[in-house]
Amino acid sequence: MTISLRSRLPARVRRKMQLPPGLLARLGPGPAGGFSESSPSPVPQLPVARHPIAGAAPFRFVPRAQSLPRGHPLFEDGDIQRHAYLQDVVQRVSQGPEPGRTLPAFGCSVAGCPQLFESLEAFEHHYRVLHSHVCASCRRSFPTERLLDAHVLEWHDALFQLLAERQSMYQCLVEGCALRFASSRQRREHLIGTHRYPPDFRFDQPRKARRPGQGQPGKGLEGAPEPLQQQQEEAEAMEVCPSAQEVPSGAPKRTYSRRIPATICFGQGAARGFKSKEKKRLPRSETHPE
Amino acid sequence: MSPCLGLNSWPLCSPALRKARREQHLVSKRLLRDSDLEEARDEFPTDPWKSWRMSQRGTEKEKEKALISLRHSLQHPETQQTFIRLEGSIRTLIGLLTSNWASLQMEAARCLHELSHADQPNVAEACLPSTSYLLTYLSGHSADFIELCLYTLGNLAVESEAVRRQLLPQGIIPALATCIQSPHAAVLEALGYTLSQLLQANEAPKEIIPLVLDSAILPNMLRLLHPNPELGASVAVEFAWCLHYIICSQVNNPLLIARGALSSLGILLLDLARAASGSVDTGLDLLACPVLRCFGNLLAEEGAADAGVRADFGDERIIVAMFILMEFFIQHQPSLVPECLWVLNNLTVKDPGLCSALLSLDLVAPLLQLLPISRVVRILVLTILCNIAEKGPFYCQRLWPGPLLPHLLDILTLSDSEVVGQSLELLQLLFVHQPEAAQDFLQHAGLQALEKHKEEVDLQDRIQALQEVALGGSSLVPNALALP
């Protein structure tokens, strides 16, 4: 960690301070030392004997520890350097092969996933996106464990559906919020009203969409209001999700991927994400002829 | 001690930053950029709109290349403005951000990051719809992606209160509290940056800091203050600044002391002093600056002495550390010398043990060597000497005779009434506790030096009182020679 501010300081302020020899040894050993440890040879404390007249009027000195507010002038130079540090520093995002880390292209370790990578970082990112939090029942992948848990309960747990009719079971999706709601619609209202989430939050999809605007609170099966539904569909249309049938251009297709039907997944296999069924049925080449 | 330390006179290292700081709108954003910048610029079309159209069709690889090209275009303010006005542009970008195609997701996040770094507030505010996703991705994604999300959030957070009013209900504090468990140095540094951006907000003392103090962030922050070889010092730098903003807000400093923050900071200063003694220039000041501030301000807390802190500082090592640090800074970062002196003041105010250590270790002479540096330094050095002299004759005997007299006579030739006033305070303490000092002062034409300031209203009374004491006829010090 270095910073180039030093050179800007003119030589006239460069001074020296002569410390008595052997002072450093007084710091004591190693970085592990706490204050309670005894120092090399403790300095005896001199007796205190204040004279009552000391500091009396017209003198005004009173020893006083001073707490300084953030904007105090004494802090000005340090603040400026802090911000110069923030603004000067350009960091590198580890993207693509870096010197010494170049690897031959390698495939995803998950069976059925056709993606190829040139760096461990790219693989790690892909794995996290697609294979970390995957629903075992429907292969949808989620960005977080919390969202996956909510999905599994709400979409695939029969007991949940029964319980949801009696008590509030829909857990808020926001990290740190413990509230539960009687329906996903109420939860959506909570997300929008309390957490200022967008109405079309992509990771909050009701289990089954009924006719637009006809949600039934308490049943757990309601659909979103029409505009929201439309927005979700638009969002889905934008999404690109690799499946066993999709291969990025430039990546040689793996032979076994052709033999595996799209409906079969192994282990934490290629996940569907929020891809619509309709889209899934169409091979990529038909949607976007090249 | 003077209530106002005044402006110090260090050279201007950045006039624009200094001006912004004085006008109380000093904000900074951090920019992450990758290494493919130059090579990609030639490879792809430079027309941002062509890139944008391409990013919505074609194969994933083509889309990715188009997004890279778009990102480069988004470094220009004009393109940023046009882009955010393009209908559905941000929504589409968010669609790509939330896609399951990892490389597109990463590139979309980088485009958002470029936008978050914009100077124009409306550009950053246009990114607002992305915050719920950026926060969601903080738990459970790759380190690179989390780092990018954090810097983007940090850039957005500093933009306006409106942005923060959205980030807080969206759960940024619990999200950060989860993320702070990450073992990745880059993630932790980015997290510290984002948190420090939030903590600088004007509304932070009421709306943000109580949440932070209440969360798992606090114990982790204290843990991460200590640089270790795996994480590197830059993580500690960010969290030290966070702690500085928290302590300055004075929301609940007794809690921090109870959690061991003062002792932890003291140990850190010892480590820094050890590092300073063995190093040339390692950017040590970057960490030392916020650590000194945290330490100094916690020392000034009412409860600091009662919380067993004095027992912790019962030895002189902290004094030694402060002098070693000052010796380092005077060569490498002189602007930190006044901050060290302020800490030294707070250490010597109530602690005779530390005053004794300063005297026994012959550190008065090095302290006096600092006097020429600046006005603030002069006031602080004199104040520290007053703290020592005020403890009584045993302390004054160590101060006088010695190099103090010529320095005080020099100071009396100055025309700065605050500095001169502080030296009068010191002279009085010395005369009261160490009568020989008054005689020496007389013999070295001290009275003539005082005469120079006799017309100054603020100093008149004190000068007259000192003259009377020095001449030995004063009723102000009836028993000066009969002290215990």
Side-chain angles (χ1 to χ4, degrees):
Chain A
M1 187 175 54
T2 53
I3 191 162
S4 58
L5 291 171
R6 327 248 175 279
S7 53
R8 299 179 205 169
L9 296 168
R12 70 181 172 83
V13 296
R14 292 182 188 273
R15 296 170 190 277
K16 280 225 163 191
M17 186 183 184
Q18 289 292 324
L19 293 181
L23 192 68
L24 184 61
R26 290 273 171 182
L27 268 185
F35 280 108
S36 49
E37 287 177 19
S38 60
S39 65
S41 51
V43 171
Q45 182 180 316
L46 300 166
V48 178
R50 289 186 185 88
H51 197 288
I53 207 82
F59 297 92
R60 46 186 95 150
F61 175 75
V62 180
R64 197 166 54 226
Q66 200 175 8
S67 92
L68 300 185
R70 212 177 85 201
H72 195 279
L74 191 79
F75 289 162
E76 185 173 291
D77 283 352
D79 283 353
I80 287 166
Q81 271 168 25
R82 159 70 176 165
H83 284 267
Y85 168 68
L86 286 179
Q87 294 180 12
D88 276 356
V89 171
V90 176
Q91 297 191 349
R92 289 162 70 97
V93 184
S94 55
Q95 184 228 338
E98 285 184 24
R101 293 165 76 186
T102 312
L103 297 167
F106 60 96
C108 178
S109 60
V110 175
C113 179
Q115 283 223 46
L116 290 177
F117 310 95
E118 289 174 343
S119 72
L120 287 172
E121 287 78 15
F123 170 63
E124 192 203 346
H125 181 57
H126 158 84
Y127 190 90
R128 295 276 191 170
V129 171
L130 218 55
H131 305 306
S132 270
H133 304 106
V134 180
C135 173
S137 304
C138 67
R139 316 308 314 157
R140 282 177 170 82
S141 73
F142 292 84
T144 67
E145 198 175 339
R146 189 185 181 97
L147 290 170
L148 172 64
D149 288 348
H151 161 83
V152 170
L153 280 175
E154 292 165 25
W155 286 52
H156 306 298
D157 190 328
L159 186 62
F160 177 91
Q161 302 302 332
L162 286 174
L163 287 172
E165 288 174 18
R166 294 179 202 164
Q167 51 182 294
S168 296
M169 288 294 285
Y170 287 85
Q171 200 190 352
C172 177
L173 301 177
V174 178
E175 202 75 47
C177 180
L179 292 180
R180 288 174 185 273
F181 300 89
S183 67
S184 65
R185 161 174 245 163
Q186 283 182 18
R187 175 176 63 196
R188 186 190 296 266
E189 283 163 4
H190 164 77
L191 283 172
I192 298 167
T194 305
H195 294 299
R196 304 196 53 184
Y197 262 44
D200 59 344
F201 186 60
R202 283 180 40 71
F203 304 117
D204 178 26
Q205 303 240 342
R207 184 164 172 244
K208 276 182 194 169
R210 291 165 75 92
R211 277 183 297 154
Q214 303 245 326
Q216 292 178 15
K219 292 271 185 181
L221 297 171
E222 74 275 21
E226 186 165 17
L228 307 184
Q229 198 79 11
Q230 280 174 354
Q231 286 171 9
Q232 279 169 6
E233 281 162 13
E234 281 172 36
E236 282 180 20
M238 286 183 267
E239 182 184 341
V240 197
C241 170
S243 75
Q245 294 179 328
E246 295 175 19
V247 177
S249 66
K253 195 179 244 188
R254 291 218 177 155
T255 48
Y256 61 74
S257 67
R258 290 201 188 116
R259 299 202 301 267
I260 302 168
T263 48
I264 294 183
C265 291
F266 301 100
Q268 292 210 329
R272 284 208 310 246
F274 282 103
K275 211 175 169 201
S276 65
K277 280 181 185 173
E278 196 181 343
K279 198 173 163 191
K280 190 170 169 287
R281 269 187 249 115
L282 293 170
R284 169 132 217 106
S285 55
E286 289 176 34
T287 334
H288 299 292
E290 289 171 28
Chain B
M1 189 166 180
S2 150
C4 175
L5 296 166
L7 296 172
N8 79 37
S9 57
W10 292 119
L12 304 176
C13 66
S14 171
L17 288 176
R18 195 169 296 275
K19 181 169 181 286
R21 205 265 183 192
R22 289 185 180 167
E23 289 166 1
Q24 297 186 333
H25 55 72
L26 180 56
V27 292
S28 292
K29 294 179 174 184
R30 223 170 186 186
L31 185 61
L32 280 174
R33 272 186 194 156
D34 53 8
S35 50
D36 70 335
L37 197 78
E38 292 311 314
E39 56 190 272
R41 190 168 279 162
D42 303 328
E43 197 178 328
F44 303 109
T46 47
D47 176 3
W49 315 126
K50 192 174 171 191
S51 305
W52 180 234
R53 284 193 301 276
M54 279 173 67
S55 71
Q56 293 165 74
R57 60 179 69 94
T59 65
E60 277 65 37
K61 210 69 193 169
E62 284 164 1
K63 287 181 183 180
E64 187 189 340
K65 283 183 179 175
L67 278 174
I68 293 172
S69 176
L70 175 71
R71 168 161 56 88
H72 294 151
S73 308
L74 287 177
Q75 290 169 15
H76 306 289
E78 315 83 62
T79 321
Q80 291 166 351
Q81 288 293 341
T82 322
F83 181 78
I84 60 165
R85 292 199 182 104
L86 203 67
E87 200 181 342
S89 58
I90 295 288
R91 258 182 60 80
T92 311
L93 200 55
I94 291 171
L96 291 163
L97 176 76
T98 55
S99 80
N100 278 341
W101 194 268
S103 55
L104 288 184
Q105 189 184 51
M106 185 68 101
E107 275 314 317
R110 287 182 180 143
C111 287
L112 273 170
H113 180 68
E114 284 293 341
L115 291 171
S116 79
H117 191 260
D119 289 333
Q120 299 295 320
N122 66 331
V123 178
E125 279 174 18
C127 301
L128 269 183
S130 69
T131 55
S132 57
Y133 298 103
L134 293 172
L135 287 168
T136 299
Y137 289 134
L138 294 190
S139 34
H141 261 259
S142 65
D144 286 351
F145 193 65
I146 293 178
E147 184 195 12
L148 191 55
C149 292
L150 281 166
Y151 278 117
T152 306
L153 284 165
N155 288 346
L156 294 175
V158 84
E159 195 57 68
S160 70
E161 194 176 346
V163 178
R164 293 184 294 271
R165 282 197 185 285
Q166 173 162 309
L167 289 175
L168 287 173
Q170 285 184 345
I172 189 166
I173 300 299
L176 294 179
T178 308
C179 199
I180 204 169
Q181 312 285 347
S182 168
H184 299 281
V187 168
L188 292 171
E189 185 184 355
L191 194 152
Y193 164 78
T194 303
L195 187 61
S196 75
Q197 296 287 73
L198 282 171
L199 294 171
Q200 286 176 78
N202 288 333
E203 75 276 14
K206 277 193 175 164
E207 291 173 25
I208 300 171
I209 292 171
L211 297 175
V212 173
L213 291 177
D214 227 19
S215 74
I217 292 176
L218 179 60
N220 283 294
M221 185 156 66
L222 295 174
R223 168 179 66 86
L224 292 166
L225 270 185
H226 289 269
N228 69 52
E230 285 143 43
L231 294 181
S234 43
V235 174
V237 169
E238 296 306 316
F239 286 104
W241 279 102
C242 289
L243 194 59
H244 164 58
Y245 297 135
I246 291 176
I247 290 172
C248 276
S249 74
Q250 299 196 309
V251 170
N252 194 353
N253 287 349
L255 171 76
L256 292 168
I257 292 172
R259 294 278 183 95
L262 193 49
S263 170
S264 187
L265 291 162
I267 290 168
L268 186 49
L269 283 173
L270 295 190
D271 291 345
L272 287 170
R274 284 191 195 95
S277 64
S279 85
V280 265
D281 182 6
T282 55
L284 188 90
D285 47 301
L286 292 172
L287 180 56
C289 176
V291 171
L292 283 167
R293 292 175 180 192
C294 292
F295 190 64
N297 266 334
L298 282 188
L299 282 175
E301 278 296 311
E302 282 292 318
D306 309 329
V309 170
R310 272 196 58 168
D312 281 345
F313 296 98
D315 69 56
E316 80 272 12
R317 282 185 292 170
I318 190 69
I319 295 286
V320 175
M322 294 312 299
F323 276 85
I324 290 175
L325 285 172
M326 281 195 287
E327 187 202 25
F328 179 82
F329 293 141
I330 205 167
Q331 295 175 60
H332 298 295
Q333 199 55 273
S335 65
L336 285 181
V337 173
E339 297 200 23
C340 289
L341 288 170
W342 162 65
V343 172
L344 206 52
N345 169 69
N346 286 1
L347 281 168
T348 51
V349 162
K350 283 182 183 166
D351 197 325
L354 295 179
C355 293
S356 304
L358 200 152
L359 294 169
S360 304
L361 297 169
D362 296 324
L363 293 171
V364 173
L367 202 56
L368 293 171
Q369 288 166 24
L370 300 176
L371 283 171
I373 289 180
S374 71
R375 177 177 178 275
V376 182
V377 166
R378 279 189 279 281
I379 293 171
L380 284 164
V381 167
L382 290 168
T383 308
I384 292 163
L385 292 171
C386 284
N387 287 342
I388 298 169
E390 174 270 346
K391 305 284 185 291
F394 295 97
Y395 292 79
C396 291
Q397 278 163 20
R398 299 291 195 96
L399 283 174
W400 199 287
L404 186 52
L405 177 60
H407 280 105
L408 282 175
L409 291 171
D410 271 357
I411 283 171
L412 289 177
T413 64
L414 301 173
S415 54
D416 184 321
S417 65
E418 196 178 349
V419 174
V420 172
Q422 196 64 44
S423 66
L424 298 183
E425 299 287 340
L426 178 59
L427 283 169
Q428 193 254 356
L429 294 169
L430 289 165
F431 291 179
V432 166
H433 292 130
Q434 178 78 354
E436 292 89 335
Q439 293 163 18
D440 289 348
F441 187 70
L442 278 179
Q443 285 168 10
H444 287 85
L447 286 186
Q448 289 88 322
L450 288 179
E451 281 292 327
K452 182 172 175 267
H453 303 283
K454 222 170 173 185
E455 302 305 312
E456 288 181 51
V457 180
D458 193 42
L459 304 174
Q460 277 171 349
D461 292 353
R462 286 181 282 177
I463 286 175
Q464 193 182 344
L466 272 183
Q467 283 174 332
E468 287 170 15
V469 178
L471 291 168
S474 172
S475 58
L476 273 175
V477 195
N479 296 314
L481 300 173
L483 275 169

